[in-house]
Amino acid sequence: LQALGGTVERRPHPELGDTIVANFDGRHDGPSVLLLGHADTVFDDGFLASRPFRIEDGRILGPGASDMKSGLLVGLYALEALRSTAEVEDDWLPLGSLAYIVNPDEEIGSPSSTQTIAELAEGADAAFVLEGARANGDIVSARKGVLHLRATISGRAAHAGVEPEKGRNAVLEAAHKALALEALNGRWDGVTVVVGAINGGTRPNIVPDRAVMQIDLRAPVADALEQARAAVLRILEESTVPDVNTEVEIGADWQPMEKTAASAALVDQAVSIAAELGFELRDAATGGGSDANTTAALGVPSIDGLGPVGGGDHTPEEYIELESIVPRITLLAALLGTVGGRG
């Protein structure tokens, strides 16, 4: 980013890593654009040793190939393409300004980097998020909102054989809550509630005094997300087992990325450019969240999925299609030029 002429700063976090921000100034009046991508993956330490980077049968494989190491590189090479083809060497950026943000914590809801993203999104005219395209090549124009909750249930331990009646079973309370949360599915169109993990208890002969639940709530529109959020919190606050207490912590909290007239115009530009380049492009909605949720919720016209075509995200089979890399670099460079008015 420095080699491209960006003014680069690190915004450190002691546990989650650095958010990298590179600012580029154009030489004329024009729109302000954000490029966004993340450097973290979902894989455990040591996973790379079992699934190293490799190229097989026209695909690049390895943890983070699609989500989203390749997207970060597409952004870098698109900027390099603009610079290397500019008629005037020091006037290569076809925009008023551009900020390229690389954050370290998107997979856990961007807790340390959201403030930076929101700060730089203020006054931006467009945001392009470089997550991988869908497996069929679609870019992303809408994403569900995401809410992650952690509920810690405290009960009372007791001997399971001698005096179980004196116990207050935290795992039993978690089971009641899980069934009630599952029953919310289908109440609102497109809303999903998943209890992803329950941990509790220590031994079979002890009434468990503690259980921890992790919950994933997703919704396509803001109204449904808020209604479902309220229903989930009511279930977590109410108890079936007497004398238990539940504490709730909020993790990821992303508003939906809803397709607007302004973002639809960006999609139309991308589709038109792709047609000129010789391939078909469509847009789609997806249930996964990304930093595009943040920019869209702030009113910035946003499109996502501008990285290479790939699939198998979050699995050992994650991949990108090798032949999609150059077209996607060209698409992004041309899209930046078009938004900047240079065609």
Side-chain angles (χ1 to χ4, degrees):
L1 289 166
Q2 288 176 331
L4 288 167
T7 301
V8 182
E9 63 171 312
R10 291 179 179 268
R11 300 190 177 187
H13 187 279
E15 297 174 357
L16 300 177
D18 297 349
T19 296
I20 306 298
V21 179
N23 287 296
F24 297 86
D25 292 324
R27 298 284 181 168
H28 57 91
D29 293 335
S32 173
V33 171
L34 292 184
L35 290 182
L36 287 166
H38 64 89
D40 58 325
T41 75
V42 300
F43 300 97
D44 293 333
D45 289 346
F47 184 81
L48 180 62
S50 65
R51 299 289 287 181
F53 171 88
R54 63 203 183 282
I55 300 174
E56 295 177 358
D57 300 324
R59 287 181 170 181
I60 292 177
L61 300 100
S66 172
D67 191 12
M68 59 161 288
K69 306 297 188 181
S70 59
L72 294 176
L73 289 168
V74 161
L76 291 171
Y77 277 88
L79 296 180
E80 175 60 31
L82 289 170
R83 190 179 72 159
S84 64
T85 57
E87 294 181 1
V88 181
E89 185 176 351
D90 62 351
D91 186 23
W92 62 268
L93 184 67
L95 301 164
S97 65
L98 181 142
Y100 195 148
I101 304 172
V102 181
N103 67 326
D105 56 352
E106 189 268 356
E107 296 291 3
I108 56 172
S110 302
S112 76
S113 57
T114 292
Q115 183 176 350
T116 293
I117 294 168
E119 171 194 325
L120 294 172
E122 185 174 355
D125 297 293
F128 299 135
V129 181
L130 305 174
E131 297 273 1
R134 305 300 87 183
N136 63 359
D138 290 350
I139 59 174
V140 175
S141 58
R143 289 183 177 273
K144 287 185 177 182
V146 181
L147 179 66
H148 285 167
L149 306 103
R150 176 186 171 95
T152 302
I153 303 167
S154 300
R156 184 190 304 155
H159 193 295
V162 177
E163 46 187 11
E165 71 282 356
K166 291 186 177 181
R168 298 293 182 263
N169 193 322
V171 170
L172 177 60
E173 177 62 30
H176 283 294
K177 292 186 189 301
L179 291 170
L181 291 167
E182 178 67 23
L184 295 178
N185 287 292
R187 184 177 297 185
W188 302 274
D189 187 31
V191 173
T192 59
V193 182
V194 174
V195 179
I198 298 178
N199 299 286
T202 57
R203 298 170 61 91
N205 58 352
I206 301 174
V207 176
D209 64 351
R210 186 175 186 272
V212 178
M213 307 176 66
Q214 297 188 59
I215 301 140
D216 180 288
L217 166 63
R218 296 177 189 249
V221 296
D223 287 346
L225 181 63
E226 291 310 306
Q227 292 177 41
R229 177 200 295 257
V232 167
L233 290 174
R234 279 195 301 271
I235 289 170
L236 296 178
E237 291 165 359
E238 297 170 356
S239 298
T240 302
V241 176
D243 304 324
V244 301
N245 179 62
T246 302
E247 295 184 1
V248 179
E249 302 171 74
I250 303 295
D253 190 358
W254 278 327
Q255 287 295 304
M257 174 193 181
E258 300 183 43
K259 188 176 181 179
T260 65
S263 60
L266 292 177
V267 170
D268 290 344
Q269 287 181 321
V271 169
S272 176
I273 291 167
E276 285 193 63
L277 295 173
F279 63 94
E280 184 180 8
L281 189 69
R282 298 180 302 271
D283 66 309
T286 181
S290 86
D291 291 315
N293 292 63
T294 298
T295 58
L298 292 170
V300 181
S302 306
I303 55 176
D304 199 348
L306 289 164
V309 178
D313 293 9
H314 295 193
T315 76
E317 288 71 42
E318 185 172 346
Y319 71 91
I320 60 168
E321 301 286 356
L322 190 62
E323 66 178 9
S324 72
I325 295 173
V326 171
R328 294 295 162 141
I329 292 170
T330 313
L331 172 65
L332 179 60
L335 186 58
L336 291 169
T338 301
V339 169
R342 291 192 184 178

